[in-house]
Amino acid sequence: MLELKDFEEAKKRVDEVIIPTPLIYSPAFSKECRNVVYIKPENLQRTGAFKIRGAYNKIMKMDDESKSRGLI
């Protein structure tokens, strides 16, 4: 089971490579939902998606032997 320390360690790893993305208020979605809606534009990441966080974290947790076999 994951613990808080696991998330804290993952955050430290991915903070080295991710671009901080702002929350952007969306008037259109706010009006549609009748609520206050903010969008997190993860498309601004180098990869164009949020997936860099999980993929980078997984790769950095691999041992050298696993890395030497290659990644697909």
Side-chain angles (χ1 to χ4, degrees):
M1 180 173 203
L2 293 173
E3 297 179 6
L4 178 59
K5 70 177 179 69
D6 298 314
F7 292 97
E8 292 169 339
E9 291 168 1
K11 183 182 182 321
K12 285 180 189 175
R13 280 190 289 274
V14 299
D15 276 352
E16 299 172 0
V17 296
I18 62 165
I19 298 168
T21 52
L23 288 175
I24 299 173
Y25 175 71
S26 172
F29 286 133
S30 293
K31 182 178 178 182
E32 182 72 25
C33 296
R34 297 183 192 147
N35 210 327
V36 179
V37 176
Y38 288 85
I39 297 171
K40 184 100 166 116
E42 291 297 301
N43 59 309
L44 299 177
Q45 294 297 336
R46 290 180 182 101
T47 60
F50 69 91
K51 295 185 183 327
I52 189 172
R53 298 172 196 275
Y56 185 79
N57 184 51
K58 180 71 172 180
I59 292 167
M60 295 311 294
K61 287 174 50 177
M62 294 171 67
D63 60 27
D64 290 336
E65 181 181 335
S66 297
K67 287 179 187 175
S68 70
R69 288 185 272 162
L71 299 168
I72 296 177

